[in-house]
Amino acid sequence: MEDSSDLYDEYETDNTPPWADHQHQCLEDQDNVECLRRKIKYFFMNPCEKYHARGRKPWKLVLQIIKIVLITVQLVSFGLSNQMVVTFKEENLMTFKHLFLKDYVDGSSDTYAVYRQDDVYEYIDYIIDKYGHLHNITVGNHEYEKKGSIYTPMTVCQEFYLNGSILPSNDTFEIDVKVVTECLEVSPMYHTSLQEGYPHFELHFKRMLTVKITFVLKAINLQTVRHRELPDCYDFTVIITFDNQVHSGRIKVDLENDVDINECRDWKVTGASARNINLTVLFDCLIIVTCITSFALCTRSVINGIQLQLEYTLYCRKNIGKEVPLSDKLEFLNGWYILIIVSDMLSIIGSILKIEIQTKVLTSYDICSILLGTGTMLVWIGVIRYMGYFRKYNILILTLRAAFPNVIRFICCAGIIYLSYCFCGWIVLGPYHEKFRTLNTVSECLFSLINGDDMYPTFKNMKQKSSLVWVFSRVYLYSFVSLFIYMILSLFITIITDTYDTIKQQQQSV
Amino acid sequence: MEDSSDLYDEYETDNTPPWADHQHQCLEDQDNVECLRRKIKYFFMNPCEKYHARGRKPWKLVLQIIKIVLITVQLVSFGLSNQMVVTFKEENLMTFKHLFLKDYVDGSSDTYAVYRQDDVYEYIDYIIDKYGHLHNITVGNHEYEKKGSIYTPMTVCQEFYLNGSILPSNDTFEIDVKVVTECLEVSPMYHTSLQEGYPHFELHFKRMLTVKITFVLKAINLQTVRHRELPDCYDFTVIITFDNQVHSGRIKVDLENDVDINECRDWKVTGASARNINLTVLFDCLIIVTCITSFALCTRSVINGIQLQLEYTLYCRKNIGKEVPLSDKLEFLNGWYILIIVSDMLSIIGSILKIEIQTKVLTSYDICSILLGTGTMLVWIGVIRYMGYFRKYNILILTLRAAFPNVIRFICCAGIIYLSYCFCGWIVLGPYHEKFRTLNTVSECLFSLINGDDMYPTFKNMKQKSSLVWVFSRVYLYSFVSLFIYMILSLFITIITDTYDTIKQQQQSV
Amino acid sequence: MEDSSDLYDEYETDNTPPWADHQHQCLEDQDNVECLRRKIKYFFMNPCEKYHARGRKPWKLVLQIIKIVLITVQLVSFGLSNQMVVTFKEENLMTFKHLFLKDYVDGSSDTYAVYRQDDVYEYIDYIIDKYGHLHNITVGNHEYEKKGSIYTPMTVCQEFYLNGSILPSNDTFEIDVKVVTECLEVSPMYHTSLQEGYPHFELHFKRMLTVKITFVLKAINLQTVRHRELPDCYDFTVIITFDNQVHSGRIKVDLENDVDINECRDWKVTGASARNINLTVLFDCLIIVTCITSFALCTRSVINGIQLQLEYTLYCRKNIGKEVPLSDKLEFLNGWYILIIVSDMLSIIGSILKIEIQTKVLTSYDICSILLGTGTMLVWIGVIRYMGYFRKYNILILTLRAAFPNVIRFICCAGIIYLSYCFCGWIVLGPYHEKFRTLNTVSECLFSLINGDDMYPTFKNMKQKSSLVWVFSRVYLYSFVSLFIYMILSLFITIITDTYDTIKQQQQSV
Amino acid sequence: MEDSSDLYDEYETDNTPPWADHQHQCLEDQDNVECLRRKIKYFFMNPCEKYHARGRKPWKLVLQIIKIVLITVQLVSFGLSNQMVVTFKEENLMTFKHLFLKDYVDGSSDTYAVYRQDDVYEYIDYIIDKYGHLHNITVGNHEYEKKGSIYTPMTVCQEFYLNGSILPSNDTFEIDVKVVTECLEVSPMYHTSLQEGYPHFELHFKRMLTVKITFVLKAINLQTVRHRELPDCYDFTVIITFDNQVHSGRIKVDLENDVDINECRDWKVTGASARNINLTVLFDCLIIVTCITSFALCTRSVINGIQLQLEYTLYCRKNIGKEVPLSDKLEFLNGWYILIIVSDMLSIIGSILKIEIQTKVLTSYDICSILLGTGTMLVWIGVIRYMGYFRKYNILILTLRAAFPNVIRFICCAGIIYLSYCFCGWIVLGPYHEKFRTLNTVSECLFSLINGDDMYPTFKNMKQKSSLVWVFSRVYLYSFVSLFIYMILSLFITIITDTYDTIKQQQQSV
């Protein structure tokens, strides 16, 4: 769109004064053609030129700059306050793993599993024991949940197939696929082991699917008080799962941690004043207002563009008798405005969600952060538009934009070869290499290989049971890497170089 | 082949109607030249043009699209059901390692070894003990194999040199290289240690080559029942090897797991209906039929091409008196058809194998997956052909194809330098660095280095005993990387760029 | 600046002899124009040409070469002597960790933490015990600090909120944010446990912020004696922190080590003569003198240039009546001289600091090494200037310099997109991936990804709690990498290639 | 050299028959000019053309091909037999570490150290104990060395400063730098601990430099018998060092293993025949003969070239009166011949060394493998010469060769910047990052970074004590990577592209 302004350059120096006067009479004027021409020319000017032409102050530009500042401040403050929440959640998860999982060592989550019947009972007893003595053990401020004056108990649930006799030595089995759940409730003050205290509770290893132990702990995130924010109350629902669904003799043990954040019911902070939450909300509202204004202005510009295009189409059809081609029509639709409109919408919804989160109505951090993040990203990318007003920057932006369709086109072709490699690698190498286990990881692995990931471990970890597969894996990897790095990446460079040359010649010939 | 259609472009617009009429009279027609010309022109059209020219529906195109969909569905379903088998096998392997190997820790497989005589006895006793109590230990549904009503025993076999007196302190030895095997059979109910129960069984450490402990366990893969597949019965032949072939004082211990999958003899599933296997077989048959059809059609086209080429050669020889050059002859042989024929053959054989596997006749998963995988890959790559019908996509494909011979040629030259580096690195650095131990790993390591592997660890792990070797390793690595990354990779880009320019100028000059 | 000499090339061959004679009469000469022309021409000559023209010996060049040698020697010797200090400091830190931290294992620093109340007391007791018996334990020459004849005691300090009742089960809390510190002093000879010896000292886990244990150990770095340097006396202030600021149930334990290096008060070395420190100081002084000379000479040249430029401007304004453009004015300001002046200043200050450090007046190693390092770096880069005197080398340097503005310009554009990705990644992925935790690490991670870092781990470690975030992370990473590696890196190559072609054509057309 | 043949192309087609006749009369012929012209032309022909011109069989070519085959076979067989030796040595080293180092765990070599006085005694006692019982412990065939009938004892040596009182608490020390060594001899049958058995042997921790424990074990590499090679007798000199040179409280423990390989004095192998070593020696001799022949032929050709050049120079000086420029003179010196001569010399010396090694006269494996490796590498690279005879391959080789000087020139410039970064990084970041500890590792680290090494760990591991250094490290790394990857690597591509274009135009214009 910027480059089209070149077409109107010759009018610019002399016409400016008469233009400004004629502007309002345009519609009732006889000379409609000249009027339309001027309107179109004005439409394609950049803020600077508009200011010179009609003295119109670039309000929209100023608004965008303010918006960028505000949105970035909002994002950073949201991120920083989020960080404390994340730290608290994560350190609590680590604490729970260390407190409740027997022999847990940092970093062993992936291989933490039980293989013996006795161990399963022992691990469960360990959890019950530690839960019972939690008060005297933990160095944090964890406490049991209370319903009225009674502590809510921990539940130990076993899921198993209703019925079944599995006899591998005879190659026979009989099974009722219906899954039953059997639960125990263990109060926090309970101190004996499972087999002593609940002699009727037995684990049916051959039919068992999972054992789930669930309990709720409460805590207060005190650290925020030092950053002048009010501490929140946290409910941690800890779920420890013994997973035996594969029935392979390996029971994977996993501890998960569902967090619920609430405002504390009753609190008193002395010695320092916590920052008022209303200020943050007010700031968010300011952003919403700014975004709505920007949204309205840009929508108006887009609508103006469409109207002008219709006018122009009508004129062409009537006077010249020619249909305006689609590409010319699209020229009237400024892509940057659409970018801003989208980013405004994202920011508005994101800010509303943020207010809800901060007043503890909602807890959908993820959606909010995606909206705010994407919004901010688009706003920043919008800055490039203003850089394009300088000629030397322009050539780079133009090259990228002009090369884009070719690159996309090429990615389609390369993508098909890529996909075929993915399928083939998944089906053949899947059983022999961790990275080829699912279609998704195959794609990630191959994509990473193209972009310089360590290849040697991929080569090396290929389990070498079948020499046929081994040869295949070598051919597969060597050919893939050679094809993509030597041919396809090189072609990308060629496409970009070619586009750059074209654009440069165009600019020089003008 | 696509580009050759350009040669016939001038005839296309005016001639279409008369052509269609004349078609059948061609052979008895006087005007044989014109007839041949038309046949050739028609032969080189793409499906779209053929439809416009003669109204022939693109059945072959439709068939290909159906085939792609079917084959991809087959591949994905095969992959998904394969995944459960792989998980079961792998988790069982982990279970056996944890159950039977003393002090085994996840990830220590590579360094799991014994260094003391007592330890060897202890480790063997541990295996015998755990095997004897397996019933009460395992959380899976493992059971001993039964022959009749008797459990098959575990065998403990020692291989050693028949005779030998090795006296390193005198620098003398006397050895009979013949290898003898001595075996014990230990029944599952046996509970004492090796030295107590079999006092005559002694390990001759100085002459011993290996101790192998072998036993069979059976299990049923119950998890498939939840994905509506019938559970299979598995026979795991567990082989634990104490490897002393090097006689270096280090006995490497290894647990391997041969799996045999059978249909269970007798089974009963209630509460849910397992999916019928016949449906899958039917689907595979459908694919076979589709592929045979596609195979037949493409073969016909190839044969037509060859016939036409013969006709044309004959005509040229007779009328013009000139021999047709080989490159022109090859134009008649459509490479895409050959690709499809190959992929069809692979898919057909693969699908037949798949049916055999699913009916438990065969267990050659690997060959089947390679056939199906490669078949699917080729089918997908075939899609690129249809992309080439669009001009803008075409230039990219053409560039890749045109650059191919040059790239191959260049890879030959570079390959020789590469090979010479491999040999040199292997012989000199082999004793000092893990990655240079075998010719194969040297090649993988160097190839990875070119494509962006971590270089620093390679530098760092070079054991620095001899300063001469240290200097050599530096010169070797610096020169290799500089040569290949700075000069050879750059030349690839140059070749591609050059080809692209050539193709582009050709297209513009047409 | 080198290329501007081309403008004067035509005068060079014939004029040399008359010039030399006329030189001194220049100012009183009538022919001012010719005189100015010659002065300017002479000004833009390189040392070689100056020697040929007027026989002026290239003192400045010789000085620079001497300076490079001296400064490099200084840097290397400073680095080597620094290395011993660093080794000593680091090995002591490792020793302290192994001696005072219970169950410490190499490499576990990041995960070294306590989770149980009993453990906290135990760990503190362990430190007190080991500190008390240090004499009999350590294999180094560590000793307690002595004030007079009394050993300075170890201090154990607890920081906690003044007051507070935290009741998570009721969702209520009351807290006084004021932080109080309570300290104990434990003398080295103290041997009982904390709870026995100081029954009133209690850890208030719910309110506690940190426990800090501080003590001072002294040692002598004897190894320097073998490299003919005098051993120094070290004061290690060991600070062990139990950090509970997050109140998450996890108390992170950290050992830090502040080092103070002094000259030993009283020493006697026999059997070998330690190198005199005065020699080193003398060498530093020599460097300072060299740098000052070089600084003076270059400043003179710069001033000459400015004067000449003023003269030329005046002449142009008077005689031709045209204002000299800024770019021409800047031609008179030799960038290389400015580089040398900056490097000289850095080296002078750095050397002065180094003398102070070696005479134990200051200990600001870091500032000194940054100054010396940057100084040396600039001096070396200055060497490239002399390479530019050879034509073939020149084209490469010119290309780099000419491409620089375009590259910077392009980095601006790319930087904005990069920044927007950083913000977006931080806010959305921060809670789910270690590398996206802070804005700084996001930037480092993305920058590394562009330049070939392992991508697969980044993909893989994305915690997969929310599938929305999972999809976002994939889109984010795939799009980022594709955009930056395929488009932006390619554009860099294009820019450089383009500049090279331009420069080459310029050179050929001259 | 290949391209110069283009100059003579016009003569080739018509002149071949007369030439062959005239050849011998050349010298006595009148028409000396024509004769010289023909000789020169013939000289620059390739083997194929020579065969066509004079029917000369390309013996040299055949010889080279035979040589390549022989040398590669030799290299591979040498490598394979070497591999067994390396495996045996390495597994023995691992065995010794596991047997003699207390609490040794695989992979902990780097951090294996002692920090407590008691531990030092304990570790030493452990070694003495295990050494004493070795017979009953090891599973290999290790035995003590025997001098006569007495086992050679183990020696325990302590090195310490002769005298010294080190009092860090007073900041005073007195030391005699002379180093004394005190040794114990412990016979293998000795079974009590150090402090009990040798009460006078005391470790002076404050003055101690090292404790070295040395003993010799013998073993026989039996595994070779299965590959039809005769087993060798090995003497392992095990040296365990407790290194306290830094006096930092950390004593690093290291086990090294010097190997001496001898022929066994007395042996008898039954059941299989070991391959005769004479065959291998014979094969090596064959290679030596081939290489000498090749060497002689190539030397002759080089001498011929020089003679021809002298003749030509003389002719030019006499008849045309012009001096031949150096570049034309160098044309007569065929670089490929020199490559072959060098490779022949390396192979000859290497083969002689290999014979010596195999007959146990020498043990300098390293030198031999470097000679053989480099020789083979050069021979293989020589193959590229023959590829250059095909035109399409030629352009690639020519490009590489033509670009070489420019690349070298550019590497000089880049190298200076690189070096300046190395110095600066070493001095500033050395104390804060492992990879910047020595100049050598800095260079390796930066070189690896350019070529796609993981950057994030480098960023991350920067210890963050001083924020000034932290900022510096960021600026340093970002600027380095940007400069080198974005500008300098791009310039490489540009140089190659430019050269390729030049060469291509030259070829097309011919």
Side-chain angles (χ1 to χ4, degrees), chain D residues 13 25 63-64 79 81 83 95 100-101 156 182 206 211 253 271 299-300 325 373 392 409 414 450 463 477 508:
Chain D
T13 39
Q25 305 107 284
L63 184 72
Q64 292 307 321
S81 93
Q83 213 157 294
T95 303
F100 298 116
L101 300 186
V156 182
E182 193 187 287
K206 288 210 172 173
V211 173
V253 185
T299 314
R300 206 194 56 180
K392 293 221 165 162
R409 220 166 275 138
I450 301 175
K463 278 167 219 145
L477 281 174
Q508 278 166 352

Side-chain angles (χ1 to χ4, degrees), chain C residues 72 75-76 78-80 82-83 86-88 90-92 94-95 98-99 106 126 130 135-144 146 151 218-223 225-226 231 233 235 256-258 263-272 366-367 369-370 373-374 376-377 380-381 383-384 387 392-393 396-397 399-400 403-404 407 418 434-435 440-441 443-445 447-448 450-454 489 492-493 496-497 500-501 504, chain D residues 111-112 114-118 120 159 161 166-179 205-207 209 244-252 406 408-414 416-417 419-421 423-424 426-428 430-432 434 437-439 449-457 459-460 463-466 468-470 472 474 476-479 481-483 485-491 493-495 497-498 502:
Chain C
T72 309
L75 190 91
V76 170
F78 184 56
L80 288 177
N82 224 353
Q83 212 158 295
V86 171
T87 313
F88 191 66
E90 217 159 77
E91 294 214 346
N92 268 289
M94 287 169 74
T95 303
H98 277 277
L99 285 184
D106 283 289
Y126 187 87
K130 293 301 164 198
H135 253 298
N136 302 324
I137 294 173
T138 182
V139 297
N141 49 33
H142 300 113
E143 282 186 4
Y144 308 120
K146 240 182 197 165
Y151 291 125
K218 308 198 76 166
I220 295 174
N221 187 359
L222 275 185
Q223 64 171 333
V225 100
R226 320 193 72 208
C233 284
D235 289 17
E256 262 175 88
N257 190 9
D258 276 346
E263 256 182 292
C264 292
R265 267 190 317 173
D266 197 11
W267 52 268
K268 198 173 140 198
V269 175
T270 48
D366 293 340
I367 299 168
S369 62
I370 288 178
T374 320
T376 311
M377 188 172 155
W380 274 90
I381 288 176
V383 172
I384 289 180
M387 293 210 141
K392 294 221 163 162
Y393 289 91
L396 301 169
I397 299 163
T399 305
L400 281 186
F404 204 69
V407 167
Y418 184 79
E434 196 63 41
K435 284 188 183 172
N440 175 42
T441 55
S443 166
E444 283 163 22
C445 168
F447 189 68
S448 305
I450 302 174
N451 299 307
D453 239 44
D454 278 7
L489 274 191
F492 269 113
I493 294 171
I496 303 277
T497 310
Y500 183 83
D501 289 350
K504 215 185 161 188
Chain D
T111 56
Y112 194 76
V114 200
Y115 298 90
R116 285 185 192 82
Q117 298 183 1
D118 293 355
V120 180
E159 283 186 10
Y161 291 125
I166 293 115
L167 298 165
S169 28
N170 300 331
D171 284 352
T172 61
F173 66 93
E174 209 184 310
I175 200 154
D176 188 340
V177 183
K178 212 158 80 202
V179 175
F205 287 106
K206 288 210 172 173
R207 290 183 287 148
L209 287 169
N244 192 31
Q245 294 191 334
V246 181
H247 285 276
S248 64
R250 180 177 191 253
I251 296 183
K252 183 111 195 50
N406 265 324
I408 291 294
R409 220 166 275 138
F410 183 53
I411 282 178
C412 284
C413 290
I416 285 169
I417 307 181
L419 213 66
S420 70
Y421 263 99
F423 277 125
C424 187
W426 175 55
I427 204 78
V428 181
Y432 298 97
E434 196 63 43
R437 205 48 57 84
T438 71
L439 259 179
L449 278 184
I450 301 175
N451 299 307
D453 239 42
D454 278 8
M455 211 170 288
Y456 188 77
F459 270 119
K460 196 183 155 200
K463 278 167 219 145
Q464 304 187 0
K465 268 213 146 172
S466 147
L468 188 70
V469 171
W470 188 85
F472 180 86
R474 261 61 193 166
Y476 180 84
L477 281 174
Y478 276 119
S479 72
V481 169
S482 303
L483 185 65
I485 293 192
Y486 301 154
M487 297 196 66
I488 288 178
L489 274 191
S490 298
L491 204 41
I493 294 171
T494 303
I495 291 170
T497 310
D498 187 56
T502 313

Side-chain angles (χ1 to χ4, degrees), chain A residues 25-38:
Chain A
Q25 305 108 283
C26 248
L27 292 171
E28 51 266 343
D29 209 69
Q30 280 293 8
D31 201 355
N32 262 323
V33 181
E34 179 64 9
C35 172
L36 182 62
R37 210 181 56 74
R38 280 183 188 166

Side-chain angles (χ1 to χ4, degrees), chain D residues 1 49 61 87 98 121 140 249 257 310 318 325 327 374 442 500:
Chain D
M1 292 112 211
E49 292 164 356
L61 180 57
T87 312
H98 276 277
Y121 285 109
N257 190 9
L310 290 175
K318 263 196 208 156
S327 65
T374 319
V442 176
Y500 183 83

Side-chain angles (χ1 to χ4, degrees), chain B residues 3-201:
Chain B
D3 45 340
S4 55
S5 67
D6 295 338
L7 303 167
Y8 305 93
D9 272 3
E10 61 272 28
Y11 304 102
E12 201 158 359
T13 40
D14 45 0
N15 275 8
T16 324
W19 183 333
D21 321 342
H22 288 272
Q23 192 184 353
H24 288 285
Q25 304 109 284
C26 247
L27 291 171
E28 50 267 344
D29 209 68
Q30 281 290 8
D31 200 356
N32 261 324
V33 181
E34 178 64 10
C35 172
L36 181 63
R37 210 182 55 74
R38 279 182 190 165
K39 266 160 88 184
I40 289 173
K41 188 185 157 192
Y42 183 70
F43 180 77
F44 282 111
M45 280 176 169
N46 68 40
C48 239
E49 292 164 356
K50 280 185 186 166
Y51 179 72
H52 284 296
R54 299 200 188 163
R56 206 181 74 170
K57 304 257 172 26
W59 293 121
K60 231 170 1 187
L61 179 57
V62 172
L63 184 72
Q64 293 308 321
I65 291 166
I66 291 170
K67 208 181 70 183
I68 289 174
V69 173
L70 288 179
I71 280 186
T72 311
V73 168
Q74 183 201 35
L75 190 90
V76 170
S77 82
F78 183 57
L80 289 177
S81 93
N82 223 354
Q83 214 157 294
M84 273 185 296
V85 175
V86 171
T87 313
F88 192 66
K89 280 205 267 189
E90 217 159 78
E91 293 214 347
N92 267 291
L93 183 62
M94 287 169 72
T95 303
F96 295 147
K97 283 187 177 170
H98 277 277
L99 286 183
F100 297 115
L101 300 187
K102 207 188 157 198
D103 301 331
Y104 178 79
V105 178
D106 283 288
S108 72
S109 292
D110 280 345
T111 56
Y112 195 76
V114 200
Y115 298 89
R116 285 186 191 81
Q117 297 183 2
D118 293 355
D119 284 355
V120 180
Y121 285 109
E122 242 176 76
Y123 277 55
I124 293 174
D125 284 348
Y126 186 88
I127 295 165
I128 292 170
D129 180 52
K130 293 302 161 196
Y131 179 67
H133 296 91
L134 189 69
H135 251 301
N136 302 324
I137 294 173
T138 182
V139 297
N141 50 33
H142 301 112
E143 280 185 5
Y144 307 121
E145 196 190 28
K146 243 184 194 162
K147 288 252 167 73
S149 67
I150 306 152
Y151 291 125
T152 46
M154 159 203 267
T155 58
V156 181
C157 288
Q158 185 190 188
E159 282 186 12
F160 51 95
Y161 290 126
L162 178 58
N163 239 313
S165 78
I166 293 116
L167 299 164
S169 27
N170 300 330
D171 284 350
T172 61
F173 66 94
E174 207 186 311
I175 201 153
D176 188 340
V177 183
K178 211 157 82 200
V179 175
V180 216
T181 309
E182 190 186 287
C183 282
L184 277 187
E185 296 213 334
V186 185
S187 78
M189 292 311 141
Y190 178 80
H191 284 158
T192 63
S193 80
L194 191 72
Q195 277 167 314
E196 284 173 31
Y198 299 86
H200 61 284
F201 185 84

